[in-house]
Amino acid sequence: IQCGVNVGLAGFSAPDDKGEWTGFDVDYCRAIAGAIFGDGTKVKFTPLSAKERFTALQSGEIDILSRNTTWTLNRDTALGLDFFGANYYDGQGFMINSKKITGVNSALQLSGASVCVQTGTTTELNLADYFKANKMEYNPVVFEKNEEVNAAYDSGRCDVLTTDQSGLYATRLSLAAPDDHVVLPEIISKEPLGPAVRQGDDQWFDIVKWSFNAMLNAEELGITQANLDEMTASTNPDVLRFLGKEADTKIGTDLGLGNDWAYNIVKAVGNYGESFERNVGAGSPLKIARGINALWSKGGLQYAPPVR
């Protein structure tokens, strides 16, 4: 499959030192490849800027956009895209260099600041709304590419960097002096980030939607990469149905896939929680708390319909 990803956002999509793509959004594309081909490596990754991403999907250059993209009404309708849900609930925030700007512990103290922001994003619109609503002035310093935004901030061309909080934590790792930079507490927007496909292909939409639902259901059922084969001998009918081991199951057939489609997803990338922790959570340099991205049964927002 042809998958559009960020050009480089630590924890979400970035090439490693061997040129292999890794990250939370990358795992999702590998999950879909596992469901379809039984092989999570059957993916071609296309790095895209914020400006390029929608055109690439609309034109058919890519099959799916899995690139920390906010699900909005306009994008879900006028742009001809379909979002099936949010694989990561985020919110826009602000980061400052605490050695350069002292005495600031709230975004409400940023009036008159210069703010680096990526153009063509909801981030840019939210920034304008927030400062206007709080009767503050600011000087936007805009760039087309995310790496240009980050470089400008790191070099001191602006006082503040704004983007989704997940992006701020990822960016901080790449700065010259990471410990000097502080993410302020305010979250100024709802940013449900989710993959998107073109409208008009219901079967493809179902496959990408249920590949994500499978990752959530696997976590809820306690199915992991490590115990996957052991779980095929479970006596739990929900587990057996999920893994395609229940007698007369046709779950895979309904999707146009084999009955081992969900098994192959977990084999390729693990369940949702494993992917989260490995890429952006406790097991990663970002160390982002699960928070509202926990399962519904753990007090979070992630909830999937059952595989049955």
Side-chain angles (χ1 to χ4, degrees):
I1 64 174
Q2 305 283 333
C3 181
V5 293
N6 198 304
V7 295
L9 181 63
F12 288 85
S13 59
D16 62 17
D17 54 8
K18 296 180 181 178
E20 293 292 324
W21 285 91
T22 64
F24 187 66
D25 288 335
V26 167
D27 273 2
Y28 176 61
C29 293
R30 296 198 190 282
I32 299 168
I36 298 171
F37 304 113
D39 184 347
T41 68
K42 300 290 188 181
V43 187
K44 179 181 178 182
F45 294 100
T46 301
L48 299 166
S49 70
K51 185 177 181 180
E52 298 166 333
R53 56 184 166 172
F54 298 127
T55 302
L57 184 56
Q58 291 163 333
S59 68
E61 179 185 348
I62 57 175
D63 301 312
I64 182 168
L65 180 66
S66 185
R67 188 204 175 280
N68 59 295
T69 297
T70 304
W71 179 16
T72 70
L73 185 149
N74 174 265
R75 293 171 176 177
D76 206 15
T77 55
L79 292 189
L81 310 183
D82 272 333
F83 290 78
F84 64 80
N87 68 340
Y88 188 96
Y89 291 98
D90 207 348
Q92 185 175 333
F94 300 94
M95 183 163 65
I96 62 170
N97 185 331
S98 60
K99 295 294 179 66
K100 178 182 175 183
I101 302 178
T102 58
V104 172
N105 54 29
S106 167
L108 294 172
Q109 297 172 280
L110 295 177
S111 186
S114 57
V115 184
C116 279
V117 63
Q118 187 175 13
T119 191
T121 62
T122 56
T123 307
E124 185 179 21
L125 302 176
N126 294 335
L127 172 65
D129 288 347
Y130 181 76
F131 273 77
K132 182 178 180 181
N134 287 286
K135 297 180 172 58
M136 299 190 301
E137 296 184 356
Y138 73 103
N139 176 34
V141 183
V142 301
F143 299 90
E144 178 183 330
K145 296 182 179 179
N146 191 56
E147 58 266 32
E148 295 173 334
V149 178
N150 296 340
Y153 170 74
D154 201 20
S155 68
R157 289 186 60 185
C158 53
D159 303 316
V160 183
L161 176 64
T162 185
T163 190
D164 299 337
Q165 280 208 337
S166 59
L168 295 176
Y169 284 107
T171 298
R172 186 167 64 175
L173 296 177
S174 67
L175 301 177
D179 293 342
D180 291 349
H181 300 268
V182 174
V183 177
L184 298 177
E186 286 80 7
I187 296 176
I188 69 167
S189 68
K190 293 185 295 183
E191 299 291 334
L193 307 182
V197 297
R198 289 182 301 281
Q199 291 178 2
D201 189 337
D202 289 345
Q203 184 180 15
W204 175 234
F205 181 69
D206 283 342
I207 289 171
V208 300
K209 173 174 59 180
W210 281 98
S211 292
F212 174 64
N213 289 338
M215 292 178 69
L216 288 176
N217 276 300
E219 182 179 8
E220 191 168 338
L221 291 168
I223 302 171
T224 68
Q225 278 184 312
N227 70 15
L228 180 60
D229 288 323
E230 176 186 338
M231 293 293 273
T232 61
S234 172
T235 57
N236 183 332
D238 291 329
V239 171
L240 294 177
R241 186 183 309 112
F242 180 88
L243 295 175
K245 298 298 182 180
E246 187 184 50
D248 300 323
T249 183
K250 294 183 179 180
I251 297 296
T253 304
D254 292 342
L255 281 170
L257 303 175
N259 283 329
D260 58 354
W261 67 281
Y263 172 97
N264 288 330
I265 287 174
V266 181
K267 183 178 180 181
V269 299
N271 65 39
Y272 178 89
E274 288 181 286
S275 179
F276 188 101
E277 296 303 326
R278 179 174 64 244
N279 291 298
V280 301
S284 78
L286 275 69
K287 301 193 182 321
I288 299 174
R290 277 291 289 270
I292 58 175
N293 286 295
L295 293 178
W296 67 278
S297 55
K298 304 288 186 179
L301 296 178
Q302 292 295 359
Y303 182 100
V307 175
R308 63 176 308 136

